Amino acid sequence: MEARLVPNPQMPCRPLTFDEDVCQGCNICVDVCRADVMVPNPRKGFPPVVLYPDECWFCGCCVGHCPRPGAITMNHPLGQRVGWKRKESGEFYRVGMKNPPPPYSEPPVGGW
Amino acid sequence: MPDFFDEENPREWAYPIEYGLETRVECDVLVIGGGIAGCHAAIAAARRGTRVAILDKGPIIRSGSGGAGVDHWHAACLNPCSKVTPDDLAEYVQKTPYRQTTEYGNAITCAILARESYDTLLDLERMGVRVRDIDDEFVGSEFRDEKTKLLFAYDYEAKHCIRIQGWNVKPALHRELKRLGVAVYDRVMGTNLLTEGGAPGQRVVGATAVNVRTGRFYVFRARCVILATARPFRLWVFSTELQGQASSFFDPNCTGDGCAMAWNAGAELTLLEQSVPFAGAFRYVPYGTGNAHNSWYACTIVDRNGKEVPWVDRDGRVLQTVAERYRPAPGQRFFLSCPDVPYEYQGPRLIPDLAQRIREGEYQLPLYADLPSMPQDERRVIFGLMLAHEGNTRIPVYATYAAAGFNPSRDMLQASLLPPDGYTWGPWWNSVPVPQWREVGRLVNGGGLVFDWNLRTTLPGLYAAGEQLACGANHAASATTGRYAGRNAADAARKTAQPKASEQQIEAEKNRVYAPVRRSKGLGWKEVQAGLCRIMQDYCGEYRSAPALELGLQWLDSIEEGEYASIWARNPHELMRTLEVGVRLAVGRAIMHASLAREASSEALGFKRLDFPSIDPPEWHKLVTIKTDGEKVVVGSLDCDYPLKPPFASTCEENYRQHCALSL
């Protein structure tokens, strides 16, 4: 167990997280972000640095333009993770819960 | 990577630093703001053979409030199925208070929108946007026209609003800009307008700008300038703590840059006193909770016991089927989608006394959007089309909820838990507004520049489009006014000599812009931003009065010469944010002056004066205008019906014909 001298996080959640094994550091997400929340990683080929997470608008354009599905995830803050009720069973679920139900796989109208 | 955030040993900036370096650009038409209005304006001007430059603080491929998509296209009166005409909408605008506060804007913007909305959609289709059900997924649906394959929203009989698959509308516009050879300046923030001789109130001859990644300075000289930036947002509340910049529905770059530039240059502004309360960062994901409104129209709502909340028509008659929610009432020709329209245009709605019936225990919270009980095609079109293509929904709602296991055929999305009165109006994801937390205007309409039938402002050489127009309205209105302004500006540019800019004005602006990066210490932008928001809340909140507004103006001046004068920026990104604080100081001042100038309260404008409590007295049924003249603020007024009074013709049709810059 360690203790470090570090500041608080800039905001409660991490709006964007990267899977380093999937992301190839192409920086398309950096260039489509309206608020310029990311900068390219000085190490080529690595995920961008999320320098200004507090300026994220949660529009998801970075995810939408990512050529490698799964490389970026957009995460709503905990206070925004809404719930639903399964009609036939009356069970309650929410975004971000432990042991979620299987994903819904139907693509949107017009496809991804 | 903690070393990135080590304030003692910060890393080098991510991009080349070019503070003080200058690029000079000469063009016929300069478009400031590359959102929906700006892109359509630039495309229209370029198609007329003029040299066009467009700049935006963000990346034009996705920037602007419409940058993350659009799912329904309003006022498509000229589509082959529509039973609503441009004259019908013009008549509607004339029946509303102040004639400027509708979801279609005023007589001018509504005339342009109604006549060009469908044509603009066809233009987008040629650019590669899917505006029809070309996969034949909805064959046989009541909202589909089998011949054209168009899908309609809201009123399935009158067919004036089209459901489109618009997630990629901005990339398509961006491609078209490039194809036409428009000079595109991404990440370049306009800082001020250049005027002839550098004097306010004179012809606009260009603009200065700064690159928000490199800090490079730009001087644009143009025969005509189109302001296509948005309304000012986040002026009363600025908190990134709870959900970043998602505390407002509108793009985080929409800080009111155009408003401030116009104010500084001496253009006339109006309706800036109009405002609505909102919930700031306490709202929910847009379109992301159970709802029956807007893109969710007209989803079945049930209470916690599965008891259905009835839908009624405008006369309170309970509707028995889902299909009836998409039909006008008996004897009604068409309905409009906004809830607060005159009786004549009111559409189906959830029972208006829902709050009372929740209080009495008839309906128990929470409520749910019962997608599983909706007919299959309605369920699919709400969740699979609307929530996959509307701005800020494709990834934040569709992809995120689908990955989390939400299945629209089996699951009922919960509506946010609100106090009973919160259910009277939708959309419920907006949560409960806080009275002193405000945004300029209404949801899709608000104050801005005074304009004429050419979309010229009161300054020669300066045009406006989209949300920059006082009462600019929805996505389609931004698109149509954009291209209309683009055509007019291009035609005017051809008749105008290339003007000179004042080197003195350029030098002064350069000094102003770089001041925050020349300081080696000072206050951060967020503190000053939050401080000025507090002034707006306290002195220009729900209730306003002359003494409080005058004191508020004094405090804004005091912040400007005090804290703002010591604001510092450690890189070009922070420079952009510090310049935005300056923008909000200017716009805040304009709003306070506009509020002082209207010496009456108004229900339609959401405007309460403690010292003038009389509501909408007839003598104040006018547009109050404000502009700067040197240090002075000049107050004036315009007839609410100015678009149809001399020097203009008396009908929208005739004015449109004379000013649309098309040979009809």
Side-chain angles (χ1 to χ4, degrees):
Chain A
M1 287 194 285
E2 303 179 319
R4 303 258 177 178
L5 197 64
V6 290
N8 270 331
Q10 278 164 292
M11 64 180 293
C13 76
R14 295 171 69 199
L16 306 172
T17 45
F18 289 85
D19 184 336
E20 290 209 16
D21 297 332
V22 183
C23 173
Q24 292 190 321
C26 71
N27 292 322
I28 288 174
C29 53
V30 176
D31 283 334
V32 299
C33 175
R34 68 193 60 240
D36 229 0
V37 305
M38 294 164 272
V39 293
N41 197 311
R43 286 196 297 170
K44 279 211 177 336
F46 282 82
V49 178
V50 185
L51 188 59
Y52 301 112
D54 52 327
E55 293 183 22
C56 180
W57 192 43
F58 296 85
C59 69
C61 290
C62 52
V63 179
H65 281 256
C66 180
R68 297 181 66 84
I72 321 176
T73 308
M74 201 205 78
N75 312 292
H76 290 301
L78 178 51
Q80 295 284 340
R81 294 181 196 161
V82 303
W84 64 85
K85 183 155 115 177
R86 186 139 291 186
K87 193 168 181 175
E88 76 249 13
S89 65
E91 289 166 290
F92 294 98
Y93 300 95
R94 71 171 174 85
V95 172
M97 71 187 291
K98 228 173 151 179
N99 305 319
Y104 169 67
S105 56
E106 185 79 19
V109 173
W112 284 112
Chain B
M1 280 170 283
D3 55 339
F4 277 102
F5 307 106
D6 181 352
E7 295 212 14
E8 295 300 312
N9 302 290
R11 281 176 177 261
E12 288 288 304
W13 182 236
Y15 305 99
I17 282 294
E18 299 178 339
Y19 291 141
L21 298 183
E22 195 176 297
T23 296
R24 295 219 168 192
V25 179
E26 202 179 288
C27 57
D28 298 322
V29 177
L30 170 66
V31 182
I32 303 178
I36 298 305
C39 285
H40 283 276
I43 287 166
R47 283 179 182 165
R48 300 233 152 167
T50 53
R51 294 167 308 158
V52 182
I54 183 167
L55 59 92
D56 193 293
K57 259 191 283 187
I60 289 178
I61 193 168
R62 278 295 175 192
S63 64
S65 287
V70 54
D71 65 337
H72 56 292
W73 196 267
H74 280 293
C77 296
L78 300 190
N79 89 75
C81 309
S82 172
K83 292 180 188 158
V84 177
T85 66
D87 285 343
D88 287 332
L89 295 191
E91 201 182 309
Y92 156 61
V93 170
Q94 286 312 107
K95 286 178 182 161
T96 58
Y98 296 85
R99 319 265 191 272
Q100 329 282 321
T101 56
T102 78
E103 65 276 30
Y104 307 122
N106 74 355
I108 301 175
T109 57
C110 181
I112 296 169
L113 169 65
R115 283 169 180 80
E116 298 197 24
S117 172
Y118 185 60
D119 194 52
T120 306
L121 202 53
L122 296 180
D123 200 10
L124 286 170
E125 186 174 37
R126 286 187 288 271
M127 295 178 206
V129 178
R130 290 166 66 116
V131 305
R132 298 168 209 269
D133 179 27
I134 51 174
D135 294 337
D136 294 330
E137 190 177 342
F138 296 100
V139 170
S141 285
E142 288 203 53
F143 51 80
R144 186 184 199 258
D145 175 63
E146 300 302 334
K147 196 163 159 217
T148 60
K149 304 190 179 193
L150 292 171
L151 306 176
F152 295 96
Y154 301 112
D155 188 334
Y156 293 172
E157 267 177 31
K159 298 183 169 70
H160 51 97
C161 184
I162 301 176
R163 285 173 157 136
I164 67 165
Q165 298 159 51
W167 151 251
N168 263 329
V169 73
K170 274 309 290 291
L173 288 165
H174 184 246
R175 254 195 328 271
E176 184 70 358
L177 290 171
K178 294 284 192 181
R179 193 183 71 79
L180 291 166
V182 171
V184 173
Y185 294 88
D186 285 325
R187 313 273 180 197
V188 172
M189 174 188 187
T191 65
N192 254 319
L193 296 171
L194 293 168
T195 50
E196 211 154 54
Q202 300 302 306
R203 163 172 283 278
V204 172
V205 298
T208 51
V210 65
N211 186 299
V212 303
R213 283 183 168 177
T214 66
R216 175 179 284 267
F217 195 76
Y218 289 78
V219 177
F220 292 90
R221 277 203 301 142
R223 294 168 209 260
C224 287
V225 176
I226 302 173
L227 264 188
T229 41
R231 246 188 295 163
F233 295 109
R234 299 177 182 79
L235 217 94
W236 278 263
V237 182
F238 190 90
S239 163
T240 54
E241 172 67 19
L242 289 172
Q243 46 166 319
Q245 297 237 55
S247 60
S248 171
F249 184 63
F250 299 91
D251 179 272
N253 291 336
C254 300
T255 49
D257 303 5
C259 242
M261 283 187 256
W263 174 250
N264 294 339
E268 246 175 34
L269 298 152
T270 190
L271 285 171
L272 284 178
E273 68 274 29
Q274 184 188 16
S275 70
V276 285
F278 77 119
F282 293 101
R283 70 184 197 132
Y284 294 87
V285 174
Y287 312 94
T289 66
N291 251 292
H293 317 89
N294 198 280
S295 296
W296 282 82
Y297 188 90
C299 189
T300 295
I301 299 295
V302 297
D303 83 345
R304 69 174 286 269
N305 302 312
K307 183 175 176 182
E308 197 173 315
V309 179
W311 284 76
V312 292
D313 71 8
R314 58 180 179 170
D315 297 312
R317 194 176 58 94
V318 172
L319 305 177
Q320 303 300 330
T321 63
V322 171
E324 284 176 282
R325 299 172 197 167
Y326 299 97
R327 305 279 169 200
Q332 186 182 25
R333 275 185 51 228
F334 65 94
F335 71 85
L336 298 175
S337 57
C338 268
D340 55 344
V341 293
Y343 172 80
E344 194 178 340
Y345 305 102
Q346 280 170 12
R349 63 190 60 195
L350 289 168
I351 41 173
D353 58 349
L354 178 56
Q356 185 57 27
R357 289 159 78 168
I358 290 171
R359 253 189 235 102
E360 287 164 0
E362 187 180 345
Y363 297 97
Q364 292 182 15
L365 302 180
L367 303 178
Y368 294 91
D370 189 0
L371 282 170
S373 78
M374 291 291 281
Q376 190 276 333
D377 56 342
E378 296 290 354
R379 173 169 66 239
R380 175 68 175 154
V381 84
I382 290 175
F383 196 73
L385 189 153
M386 309 296 269
L387 297 182
H389 289 277
E390 173 64 312
N392 290 24
T393 59
R394 188 181 187 82
I395 303 302
V397 179
Y398 192 92
T400 303
Y401 292 17
F406 178 80
N407 182 332
S409 316
R410 302 175 68 190
D411 294 325
M412 305 189 295
L413 193 63
Q414 192 194 304
S416 23
L417 277 158
L418 308 172
D421 286 331
Y423 295 102
T424 304
W425 301 105
W428 299 328
W429 47 262
N430 262 339
S431 198
V432 182
V434 179
Q436 74 273 24
W437 292 0
R438 311 199 67 89
E439 292 281 33
V440 169
R442 300 154 34 104
L443 181 62
V444 288
N445 173 328
L449 283 141
V450 171
F451 58 97
D452 67 9
W453 275 96
N454 283 51
L455 300 188
R456 278 182 304 220
T457 70
T458 56
L459 293 183
L462 184 66
Y463 292 71
E467 287 252 314
Q468 194 64 81
L469 301 162
C471 73
N474 54 50
H475 187 117
S478 289
T480 51
T481 56
R483 63 185 214 159
Y484 186 101
R487 294 195 303 264
N488 271 299
D491 287 0
R494 271 204 293 264
K495 296 176 213 145
T496 311
Q498 187 73 44
K500 278 203 170 54
S502 150
E503 291 303 322
Q504 212 183 339
Q505 189 183 12
I506 293 167
E507 215 38 51
E509 182 61 6
K510 224 171 168 173
N511 281 331
R512 185 188 77 87
V513 165
Y514 288 124
V517 294
R518 293 205 175 104
R519 299 183 186 115
S520 56
K521 60 180 179 134
L523 290 179
W525 63 272
K526 274 193 184 178
E527 180 176 1
V528 188
Q529 178 58 64
L532 96 86
C533 284
R534 196 59 190 247
I535 303 288
M536 294 302 290
Q537 289 175 29
D538 287 359
Y539 299 91
C540 194
E542 182 185 15
Y543 288 94
R544 302 178 193 178
S545 66
L549 288 164
E550 278 157 11
L551 192 52
L553 280 166
Q554 192 181 323
W555 293 145
L556 290 185
D557 287 346
S558 162
I559 287 179
E560 179 146 28
E561 63 184 38
E563 287 85 351
Y564 183 65
S566 73
I567 203 168
W568 74 314
R570 295 168 294 182
N571 58 48
H573 183 88
E574 286 193 353
L575 178 58
M576 158 174 68
R577 299 299 179 216
T578 60
L579 290 169
E580 287 175 349
V581 177
V583 161
R584 288 190 173 112
L585 273 167
V587 177
R589 209 175 265 134
I591 290 169
M592 288 201 192
H593 281 295
S595 304
L596 272 171
R598 180 173 290 279
E599 296 183 331
S601 297
S602 167
E603 175 147 19
L605 302 177
F607 184 70
K608 292 177 186 164
R609 281 286 298 255
L610 273 175
D611 42 355
F612 294 100
S614 158
I615 293 170
D616 292 309
E619 69 273 22
W620 281 94
H621 195 262
K622 60 186 179 183
L623 303 177
V624 177
T625 63
I626 51 162
K627 65 173 181 180
T628 56
D629 181 11
E631 295 295 299
K632 274 201 330 250
V633 174
V634 182
V635 175
S637 72
L638 263 178
D639 193 316
C640 289
D641 287 321
Y642 83 91
L644 303 175
K645 294 263 171 84
F648 305 120
S650 61
T651 65
C652 288
E653 190 175 0
E654 181 54 23
N655 283 307
Y656 179 81
R657 199 186 59 74
Q658 285 179 21
H659 300 277
C660 65
L662 294 169
S663 34
L664 295 178

